[in-house]
Amino acid sequence: MTSPDTPPATVTIVGGGVVGLACAHYLSAAGLRVTVLERDRLGSGASRGNAGEVCPDLVEPLAAPGVIGTALRGLHRPDSALAIHPPAGAELLRFLVRFGLRATSRHYTRGAAALGALAKGTFGLFEELEAAGVDGEAHKDGFLFAFPSREYAAEALAAFRRLDAPIAPGGVLEGTRLAEAEPSLTDGARAGFVVERQWSLDPSLFVDRLAERLRGQGAELVEGARVSGVTDRGGRTEVRTSAGTYRSDAVVIAAGVWSRELVRGLGLDVDLVAGKGYSFSVAAEPPPSRLVHLGAAKVVLTPMGKRVRVAGTMEFERDADRFRQRRIEAIVAAARPYLRHADWGDRQEEWVGPRPMTPDGLPLIGPVPGHPRVLLATGHNMLGLMLAPATGRLVAGLLTGTADSGLSSAFAPVRSVRRYSWRVRATRGQ
């Protein structure tokens, strides 16, 4: 399925994060009248506080061979990059089981190919947005990956070569070569390498400028509109919110992890849970000259203005909004041995964001089964910022009948949607 029987003229987008705003941009450019409804502030959720990575040469599903064992071995440590808080609940347990079943070489290879196809041309899409005034002040000189040993670095380098990543000449860097490549690192970083061409940008600035561009295109952006239900009948859709009811020819649900509740209102359930990430900023002298991945620590250092954003962790629990200070402290403990002269006591912009996670690591983009005028655009895992323009372009193609069917089929929500048991819902008191 590529589009409703009659192409829509009006679209309501539920969710004003970076994916929803990107969908609005491409739909508006296609000539549709667009309304964006955001439950809080534009860019809330997982859009503003992430590490700002745009790295289409490095896309891969999180469910990779060996990832389960690696994660579980470190789960007992207070500075572990993974945290699972009880009570996990049946939904999270079901997700973790399905995630484990997909952490195989066959699923990983297929997923990496699909993500690579979606990400193809991403730099060009961001350059077009830059030319239109949507500028996140990107750094475009690649990423440095740093590790505590040569063996660790060599293993990671081999994995990136299997992805055909553009590795800088020289391969693994050690000693003075690594120090010259990144003077901000301490001796705790003993080996590393550079992946060329990748970008990092300020996601909050990108969201603000994209919203400004949309307003200039005539899109209606409504903040503080909490959605209570979506209906699809008689060739029209209706979205009920705390700010009123909005009717249109089609709806795009791009509400991150909250998309699950909206789909349940249509009698369906979708495999989607919150994998929360945390970040904060510190001053460092010197700051990193480019984005740095601390491979063993599972922490990313992103230069943003005069400060460094420090981002990391994967936290699973039932409360998508809850902030836990000890997760910030875990990131500090993991990153402290690597970043020279950072003022860890002067942390600012402490943030948590619920990334919408799917068991196979692929986003859900396309019509909700049985509802051709209601599309999903969520489940981007840790790739939402980078894949937002490509997702917006694909959603616009689906609604106008111009989408590549081969590409869209890889991300069709039908693979993760099932009938929702209202009896179970009543038992849970929801």
Side-chain angles (χ1 to χ4, degrees):
M1 180 253 172
T2 56
S3 69
D5 292 336
T6 303
T10 57
V11 180
T12 302
I13 297 174
V14 180
V18 67
V19 171
L21 294 176
C23 290
H25 170 75
Y26 287 95
L27 288 165
S28 181
L32 283 69
R33 193 166 78 248
V34 175
T35 299
V36 177
L37 306 175
E38 166 54 41
R39 68 194 289 267
D40 194 350
R41 173 193 177 202
L42 291 174
S44 61
S47 291
R48 289 185 181 271
N50 60 75
E53 296 177 85
V54 179
C55 48
D57 296 316
L58 307 179
V59 291
E60 56 181 338
L62 185 62
V67 70
I68 298 293
T70 300
L72 292 178
R73 282 194 294 273
L75 192 58
H76 66 283
R77 300 199 320 266
D79 64 342
S80 171
L82 174 66
I84 301 175
H85 298 293
E91 294 165 358
L92 178 54
L93 291 175
R94 183 167 55 242
F95 169 87
L96 293 173
V97 169
R98 294 181 178 178
F99 178 91
L101 292 173
R102 287 163 175 80
T104 66
S105 295
R106 181 172 63 88
H107 284 294
Y108 171 83
T109 300
R110 184 187 304 165
L115 288 171
L118 181 61
K120 186 176 181 180
T122 284
F123 289 133
L125 295 178
F126 274 93
E127 286 168 349
E128 290 173 0
L129 287 166
E130 280 185 333
V134 184
D135 185 357
E137 298 185 355
H139 295 254
K140 304 180 182 181
D141 49 358
F143 297 170
L144 184 133
F145 289 78
F147 302 89
S149 70
R150 180 180 179 84
E151 292 74 22
Y152 207 145
E155 182 180 351
L157 181 64
F160 280 136
R161 281 183 169 149
R162 288 193 291 272
L163 286 174
D164 292 325
I167 307 298
V172 174
L173 308 174
E174 295 180 276
T176 57
R177 294 175 64 211
L178 180 60
E180 290 170 358
E182 188 45 73
S184 69
L185 296 179
T186 70
D187 293 341
R190 295 186 175 88
F193 54 85
V194 173
V195 179
E196 298 180 315
R197 297 203 308 260
Q198 312 313 295
W199 295 16
S200 67
L201 52 79
D202 183 333
S204 190
L205 185 61
F206 182 81
V207 164
D208 288 339
R209 290 180 174 170
L210 181 53
E212 182 181 351
R213 170 69 179 177
L214 284 167
R215 291 188 179 100
Q217 291 174 315
E220 181 181 8
L221 309 182
V222 184
E223 295 180 303
R226 290 184 174 263
V227 175
S228 57
V230 176
T231 57
D232 169 31
R233 63 173 65 96
R236 294 279 287 175
T237 62
E238 182 178 280
V239 180
R240 300 181 302 280
T241 84
S242 58
T245 299
Y246 295 82
R247 297 176 179 86
S248 58
D249 299 326
V251 170
V252 177
I253 299 177
V257 71
W258 295 281
S259 301
R260 183 172 195 169
E261 286 300 320
L262 299 176
V263 172
R264 282 176 174 171
L266 297 170
L268 300 168
D269 200 9
V270 60
D271 277 333
L272 197 66
V273 301
K276 297 192 296 185
Y278 287 75
S279 73
F280 56 89
S281 73
V282 294
E285 186 57 44
S289 59
R290 67 184 100 200
L291 184 145
V292 176
H293 269 269
L294 302 177
K298 307 300 182 186
V299 171
V300 179
L301 311 174
T302 308
M304 292 188 186
K306 296 180 180 180
R307 298 180 68 82
V308 182
R309 175 163 293 173
V310 185
T313 206
M314 176 66 72
E315 181 183 49
F316 291 109
E317 68 169 327
R318 296 176 68 176
D319 188 344
D321 290 313
R322 182 173 179 177
F323 178 89
R324 293 178 183 266
Q325 187 64 41
R326 65 176 177 267
R327 297 311 302 161
I328 294 287
E329 294 165 359
I331 297 174
V332 173
R336 188 190 294 273
Y338 296 95
L339 184 59
R340 189 184 305 277
H341 304 311
D343 189 353
W344 298 107
D346 180 29
R347 299 191 300 272
Q348 298 178 17
E349 302 170 313
E350 292 187 347
W351 172 91
V352 61
R355 297 168 294 208
M357 309 296 292
T358 58
D360 60 6
L362 305 185
L364 305 166
I365 308 170
V368 175
H371 299 274
R373 292 182 178 271
V374 180
L375 273 67
L376 274 174
T378 187
H380 290 75
N381 294 261
M382 301 166 71
L383 305 173
L385 172 66
M386 178 179 63
L387 294 179
T391 298
R393 182 176 60 176
L394 180 55
V395 165
L398 286 165
L399 284 175
T400 59
T402 60
D404 181 300
S405 60
L407 178 64
S408 61
S409 64
F411 302 99
V414 67
R415 74 184 194 277
S416 293
V417 174
R418 61 186 178 277
R419 288 289 173 188
Y420 183 48
S421 171
W422 293 96
R423 179 183 301 174
V424 170
R425 179 171 184 169
T427 302
R428 292 173 183 160
Q430 295 182 356

